[in-house]
């Protein structure tokens, strides 16, 4: 009997803390040894010239979520996780959304029916709370945290999801009690409504005005309000998809004061700007870039880099939320009448790692170890998956991406493995690309060819976040 099922030989192992030339031995889906030289494996993969990094963890992904009367998301759990593994990501944490009035238990059971047996990557669920009724806060949530759904998301905008200040405080208080980590979508609902109506009255309905209707001030105000509420309750929160300087500075201000406020940013805020939409109408696919918060300007991109370099942001997630660029998605007849009907969200689960490497590591803005922290390790720590996921050391799941730091690629739709019909990053040239993705010891994607099968990915019952309330 060989000692190992699989060995990865000749590569350079990169974790959030170290870079070492080492072989990796895998047994029963886990990393069994990291050593100078590993022999005696049933199969060996030559990784010379490649980096051996923890598989990506994308803790902000939307799959098969109903959009309350809007168009269908183009990725379900099968296609979305297929896209994830092709991009080097082995774990995703999508959302289970509570429609108002519904029991969260029933909702989560529906999402399991959609996901179980269909995923190419491992997965957990965050709970989106739209209706914090006494029974949800008092009974359902504490029980569900115990079952491994240890993080919630709340919205400060969107008519179907927005919580008022009182409700935010109630959810924060509940999270403090049951030690869940709360993700906050920080954009102010009333200000966006006001701006939207004013723009519509002026006939400014093209997709570009989506961004104008929710400027950085609106995001900064909501971030500050969320931080204040969190301080009042004394609960840690994670402000997600931070788009620019204003909200980033609020988070940094809170962190400087010793508050447990965490931050996430996404590829769209370093790779796109509002100008990408300028002048485009719906026939010219202007809806393709509509997401919230919207991409800003070059100065904001620089502020996001500062936040990444200074540790203001712990996680770099995709906020993958794909809709077809067609009448059944971005260009519905209703969406043509105003930006306000264009479904919000863009695909990105597959391109997330290549974009951060290409624009970050390859351009000298961040190091390789920071890259691993931002795309994998910190997600595992933040969301209760550590030390099962997020590093390469004995005992961890053998979730690995073999990365070629010298490979030049141009991001193009024809390279993608999801169900969406476009990528907002079409034409972006990057250096650095995943060449093989390994999920718990099984190669599931090699050179863009899917080797895995639906059902390879399993549900992850997550632990309490060490960053949640104590
Ligand atoms: O526009 C976006 N990001 N849609 C997805 C939902 C969300 O707020 O994350
Ligand atoms: Zn959001
Ligand atoms: Zn979003
Ligand atoms: Zn999102």
């Amino acid at each position: 009997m060989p000692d190992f099922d699989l060995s990865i030989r000749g590569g350079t192992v990169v974790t959030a803390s170290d870079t070492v030339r080492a072989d990796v031995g895998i047994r029963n889906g886990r990393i069994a040894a990291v050593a100078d030289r590993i022999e005696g494996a049933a199969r060996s993969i030559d990784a010379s010239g490649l980096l051996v990094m923890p598989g990506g963890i994308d803790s902000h992904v939307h799959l098969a979520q109903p959009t309350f009367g809007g168009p269908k998301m183009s990725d379900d759990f099968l296609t979305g996780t297929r896209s994830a593994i092709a991009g080097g990501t082995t774990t995703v944490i999508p959302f289970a959304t509570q429609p108002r009035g519904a029991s969260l238990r029933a909702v989560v059971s529906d999402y399991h029916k959609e996901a179980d047996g269909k995923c190419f990557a491992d997965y957990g669920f965050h709970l989106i709370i739209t209706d914090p009724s006494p029974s949800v806060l008092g009974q359902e949530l504490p029980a569900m945290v115990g079952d491994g759904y240890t993080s919630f998301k709340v919205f400060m905008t969107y008519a179907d999801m927005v919580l008022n200040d009182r409700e935010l405080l109630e959810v924060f208080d509940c999270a403090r009690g049951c030690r869940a980590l709360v993700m906050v979508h920080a954009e102010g609902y009333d200000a966006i409504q006001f701006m939207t109506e004013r723009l519509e009255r002026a006939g400014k309905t093209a997709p570009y005005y989506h961004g104008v209707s929710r400027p950085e001030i609106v995001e900064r105000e909501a971030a500050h309000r969320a931080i204040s509420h969190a301080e009042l309750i004394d609960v840690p929160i994670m402000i997600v998809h931070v788009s620019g300087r204003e909200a980033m500075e609020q988070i940094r201000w809170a962190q400087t004061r010793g508050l447990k406020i965490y931050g996430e940013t996404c590829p769209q805020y370093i790779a796109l700007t509002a100008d990408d939409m300028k002048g485009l109408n719906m026939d010219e696919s202007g809806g393709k870039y509509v997401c919230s918060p919207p991409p800003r300007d070059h100065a904001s991109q620089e502020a996001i880099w500062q936040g990444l370099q200074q540790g203001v942001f712990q996680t770099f997630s995709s906020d993958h939320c794909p809709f077809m660029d067609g009448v059944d998605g971005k260009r519905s007849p209703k969406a043509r009448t105003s930006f306000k009907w264009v479904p919000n969200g863009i695909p990105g689960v597959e391109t997330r790692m290549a974009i951060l490497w290409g624009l970050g590591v390859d351009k000298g803005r961040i190091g390789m170890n920071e890259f691993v922290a931002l795309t994998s390790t910190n997600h595992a720590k933040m969301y209760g998956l550590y030390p099962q996921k997020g590093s390469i050391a004995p005992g961890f799941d053998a979730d690995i991406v073999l990365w070629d730091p010298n490979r030049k690629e141009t991001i193009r739709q024809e390279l993608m493995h999801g169900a969406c019909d476009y990528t907002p990053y079409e034409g972006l040239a990057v250096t650095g690309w995943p060449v093989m993705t390994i999920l718990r010891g099984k190669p599931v994607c090699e050179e863009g060819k899917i080797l895995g099968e639906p059902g390879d990915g399993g549900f992850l019952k997550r632990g309490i976040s060490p960053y949640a309330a104590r």
Side-chain angles (χ1 to χ4, degrees):
M1 275 276 282
D3 288 344
F4 301 101
D5 305 322
L6 178 68
S7 65
I8 299 166
R9 300 183 59 186
T12 297
V13 174
V14 184
T15 66
S17 53
D18 301 291
T19 305
V20 281
R21 223 299 310 140
D23 293 354
V24 177
I26 294 165
R27 194 165 47 227
N28 297 329
R30 291 190 180 194
I31 293 165
V34 180
D36 261 1
R37 225 179 133 73
I38 286 182
E39 322 239 2
R43 180 184 172 193
S44 175
I45 293 169
D46 177 16
S48 43
L50 300 178
L51 304 174
V52 182
M53 302 194 287
I57 302 175
D58 193 339
S59 56
H60 190 151
V61 174
H62 303 267
L63 300 174
Q65 243 177 261
T67 48
F68 305 116
K72 215 168 152 270
M73 281 181 190
S74 57
D75 274 320
D76 58 16
F77 284 85
L78 189 148
T79 61
T81 56
R82 188 174 67 201
S83 191
I85 59 165
T89 289
T90 47
T91 294
V92 294
I93 314 181
F95 298 86
T97 310
Q98 175 198 30
R100 291 215 171 108
S103 136
L104 265 162
R105 269 281 172 219
V107 166
V108 166
S109 141
D110 289 346
Y111 275 88
H112 273 287
K113 281 186 204 124
E114 291 284 328
D116 296 350
K118 304 207 182 101
C119 290
F120 286 88
D122 284 352
Y123 60 98
F125 290 107
H126 308 288
L127 306 175
I128 291 180
I129 301 163
T130 62
D131 193 354
S133 64
S135 67
V136 165
L137 295 171
Q139 285 105 53
E140 290 203 337
L141 289 176
M144 297 188 74
V145 169
D147 291 344
Y149 309 92
T150 54
S151 43
F152 311 155
K153 186 179 179 195
V154 293
F155 286 79
M156 299 173 76
T157 190
Y158 292 135
D160 314 303
M161 315 230 243
V162 60
L163 301 188
N164 63 33
D165 286 333
R166 174 62 193 253
E167 293 169 322
L168 284 173
L169 289 161
E170 299 281 6
V171 172
F172 286 5
D173 194 43
C174 168
R176 180 182 150 80
C178 55
R179 307 189 58 212
L181 188 65
V182 188
M183 309 162 82
V184 179
H185 180 125
E187 289 187 295
Y189 180 73
D190 286 319
I192 295 169
Q193 290 298 107
F194 176 88
M195 293 296 287
T196 300
E197 284 165 28
R198 193 159 86 174
L199 287 162
E200 285 184 331
R201 278 197 303 274
K204 296 177 171 171
T205 56
Y208 173 76
Y209 294 103
H210 168 77
V212 182
S213 76
R214 46 218 304 152
E216 280 200 58
I217 304 168
V218 168
E219 188 185 357
R220 177 239 283 162
E221 180 278 326
H224 185 88
R225 190 153 36 100
I227 290 166
S228 302
H229 293 344
E231 182 175 5
L232 186 67
I233 302 294
D234 186 24
V235 69
I237 58 169
M238 161 67 86
I239 299 185
V240 294
H241 45 48
V242 173
S243 73
R245 177 175 302 282
E246 293 288 345
M248 185 277 280
E249 286 183 343
Q250 292 299 312
I251 298 170
R252 188 164 61 190
W253 167 80
Q255 290 168 350
T256 315
R257 298 176 68 229
L259 301 177
K260 295 191 177 79
I261 306 295
Y262 306 107
E264 172 201 82
T265 191
C266 313
Q268 49 270 38
Y269 309 121
I270 55 172
L272 301 176
T273 66
D275 287 352
D276 290 318
M277 285 196 264
K278 217 165 200 168
L280 297 181
N281 63 35
M282 289 303 290
D283 290 322
E284 294 154 325
S285 298
K288 273 185 185 178
Y289 304 102
V290 169
C291 62
S292 293
R296 310 294 184 181
D297 59 9
H298 289 288
S300 276
Q301 291 182 342
E302 287 312 313
I304 293 297
W305 284 114
Q306 274 178 26
L308 289 164
Q309 290 158 347
Q310 296 169 356
V312 178
F313 300 122
Q314 287 67 44
T315 54
F316 186 81
S317 309
S318 66
D319 194 8
H320 181 80
C321 186
F323 296 93
M324 292 293 209
D325 178 35
V327 288
D328 52 344
K330 293 286 191 181
R331 299 193 221 197
S332 70
K334 210 163 146 191
R336 284 168 178 274
T337 66
S338 167
F339 63 81
K340 85 171 174 208
W341 300 116
V342 179
N344 284 200
I346 56 178
V349 72
E350 187 165 347
T351 45
R352 173 183 72 122
M353 295 179 79
I355 289 173
L356 188 64
W357 187 280
L359 302 185
V361 183
D362 188 61
K363 298 273 191 279
R365 289 178 165 122
I366 59 169
M368 295 192 274
N369 310 101
E370 285 79 40
F371 172 85
V372 171
L374 286 163
T375 56
S376 180
T377 314
N378 291 353
H379 300 253
K381 291 183 172 171
M382 204 51 82
Y383 295 107
L385 290 170
Y386 201 83
Q388 179 188 353
K389 305 282 189 193
S391 194
I392 296 183
F396 280 82
D397 282 358
D399 296 342
I400 292 170
V401 58
L402 301 185
W403 195 268
D404 184 348
N406 301 313
R407 174 83 63 92
K408 292 190 191 308
E409 277 293 358
T410 299
I411 294 176
R412 312 186 298 281
Q413 174 56 19
E414 64 189 86
L415 298 179
M416 300 292 117
H417 296 76
C420 197
D421 57 357
Y422 77 97
T423 163
Y425 307 108
E426 186 76 32
L428 179 67
V430 291
T431 300
W433 199 256
V435 299
M436 186 188 278
T437 308
I438 297 169
L439 175 68
R440 283 180 279 103
K442 173 177 172 175
V444 288
C445 186
E446 183 175 10
E447 295 289 356
K449 188 174 172 332
I450 301 292
L451 307 173
E453 288 153 43
D456 280 346
F459 172 66
L460 297 165
K461 181 176 170 182
R462 292 179 292 120
I464 295 289
S465 167
Y467 294 85
R470 301 196 169 263

